[in-house]
Amino acid sequence: MQRILDEAVEYARNFLHQGKPASYIPELAKADPSLLGAAIVETNGSTYFSGDFEKSFTIQSISKPIALILSLKDNSENFVFSRVGMEPTGDAFNSIIKLETEESSKPLNPMINAGAIAIDSFIKGKTPDEKFNRLLKFFRQLSHNPDLTYDHDVYRSEDETGFRNRALANFIEDAGILLGDVEEVLELYFKQCSIKVCCKDIAIIAAVLASNGLSPFTNNRICERHYTRLVKTFMVTCGMYDASGEFAVKVGLPAKSGVAGGIMATVPDRMGIGVYSPNLDVKGNSIAGMKVLEYLSTRLDLSIF
Ligand code: GLN
């Protein structure tokens, strides 16, 4: 396995010159585009690492399936899905168009920004700090990393330039979908996106999803089986945004990408995979990261289809 992972990373190095880091969040544009790392955590606890696997980056949208689980724990499934839908959009992750053209103004799914912001507004807590601390605690449990924290500079950068996310949040507030104060919900969303992780952390979270909620190291239950099934389904249909169809054909795994360059992929009953490389394609997915996953999927016959 170690040799195959190293081969996948070497293969993906050929694509490092393509694309560029996200720049609409100024702090992310500073990333070193030569970075490339990958981690595999098998459901039996075996781990394999390659390249810059310990380099930290902000989790960004990879946080969305995790926040969804917490939101589902806090509310009934009926409540959550009466306000956020279950359908892919075919639009960019931060698109506003369907909110106005769809009849209900309900965000189409929890993996796009509008849906994820709504999902955050359902998370329980007396104060904004309590809500974020509950979320962070859950991320720490899933990643088995008690030291996870958020990156202040990226958080500030997102907050200062988050005009489009503010527009989305205000739109769903106006439509009666968002709960609570718009600015407080955005603070929670931006902090959540700014949580710092490395490939190893997201591979461990993916391994928990792969084993339907059990820890790969202790076998203890960390998350309800039903919720892991739900989020894996969203990852297949919407996890790579408007590239989800092509990714399903080429890689065939539930996966979630983030604009800092991370991708978390899960191979049911077998392993979690975390990859990182900052250069993105036009849809906001890490180019070299997808190449690592393509290589692994082909070489190890990982596709679920
Ligand atoms: N924080 C980012 C945003 O809201 C997350 C987007 C992403 O990773 N695709 O724009």
Side-chain angles (χ1 to χ4, degrees):
M1 187 65 82
Q2 184 63 51
R3 187 172 47 80
I4 294 171
L5 184 61
D6 289 337
E7 279 169 17
V9 168
E10 280 322 304
Y11 165 72
R13 274 192 209 289
N14 297 315
F15 300 88
L16 278 177
H17 62 284
Q18 294 182 14
K20 50 181 179 2
S23 56
Y24 75 102
I25 300 169
E27 201 59 29
L28 295 185
K30 296 181 184 165
D32 173 359
S34 68
L35 293 175
L36 174 60
I40 288 179
V41 175
E42 291 182 324
T43 50
N44 66 8
S46 305
T47 55
Y48 307 90
F49 307 118
S50 192
D52 302 301
F53 67 93
E54 274 178 320
K55 202 82 196 167
S56 73
F57 54 94
T58 53
I59 191 164
Q60 298 297 339
S61 287
I62 301 168
S63 63
K64 288 171 180 169
I66 303 158
L68 173 62
I69 297 177
L70 188 60
S71 208
L72 286 165
K73 283 170 178 281
D74 282 358
N75 302 275
S76 75
E77 216 170 301
N78 277 346
F79 172 83
V80 170
F81 293 116
S82 67
R83 288 167 176 257
V84 177
M86 298 185 172
E87 300 302 332
T89 65
D91 299 321
F93 63 85
N94 54 5
S95 176
I96 200 162
I97 189 161
K98 293 246 166 63
L99 286 180
E100 192 154 37
T101 54
E102 293 281 310
E103 222 171 287
S104 64
S105 289
K106 148 172 157 176
L108 276 177
N109 68 66
M111 301 293 116
I112 52 169
N113 288 12
I117 292 168
I119 292 296
D120 273 8
S121 82
F122 311 148
I123 287 173
K124 302 267 198 260
K126 284 194 199 73
T127 61
D129 274 353
E130 187 181 322
K131 290 179 191 179
F132 179 65
N133 288 334
R134 288 189 63 234
L135 198 63
L136 187 60
K137 189 172 162 205
F138 190 45
F139 277 77
R140 287 175 174 167
Q141 272 169 354
L142 287 169
S143 63
H144 296 64
N145 181 353
D147 298 323
L148 280 195
T149 181
Y150 75 100
D151 183 316
H152 287 262
D153 294 335
V154 174
Y155 164 66
R156 244 205 351 265
S157 190
E158 289 217 41
D159 187 30
E160 281 167 10
T161 58
F163 303 107
R164 186 179 275 263
N165 284 323
R166 283 206 162 74
L168 294 170
N170 279 295
F171 196 103
I172 56 172
E173 158 73 20
D174 181 64
I177 288 165
L178 188 133
L179 294 188
D181 178 80
V182 174
E183 278 304 316
E184 283 180 10
V185 174
L186 283 168
E187 179 187 325
L188 179 62
Y189 174 73
F190 293 143
K191 279 188 181 159
Q192 167 194 313
C193 289
S194 306
I195 292 174
K196 274 192 294 190
V197 289
C198 65
C199 289
K200 190 176 160 185
D201 297 317
I202 55 174
I204 294 174
I205 298 174
V208 174
L209 297 180
S211 59
N212 299 313
L214 300 181
S215 161
F217 306 119
T218 64
N219 234 29
N220 288 342
R221 179 156 296 283
I222 302 182
C223 177
E224 295 80 346
R225 181 189 176 96
H226 178 64
Y227 296 149
T228 62
R229 189 186 69 79
L230 258 173
V231 298
K232 281 186 279 188
T233 313
F234 281 119
M235 287 163 73
V236 169
T237 56
C238 321
M240 305 296 282
Y241 304 113
D242 42 335
S244 297
E246 186 178 341
F247 186 83
V249 171
K250 288 191 174 158
V251 179
L253 292 175
K256 185 74 208 78
S257 67
V259 284
I263 306 176
M264 170 174 89
T266 182
V267 189
D269 303 317
R270 288 175 71 179
M271 66 180 80
I273 310 173
V275 293
Y276 168 59
S277 188
N279 275 352
L280 308 181
D281 64 12
V282 288
K283 298 190 170 173
N285 296 319
S286 168
I287 296 179
M290 286 194 293
K291 290 295 174 187
V292 171
L293 293 171
E294 263 176 54
Y295 188 95
L296 290 175
S297 177
T298 309
R299 185 72 173 72
L300 297 168
D301 193 20
L302 300 180
S303 172
I304 62 169
F305 300 110

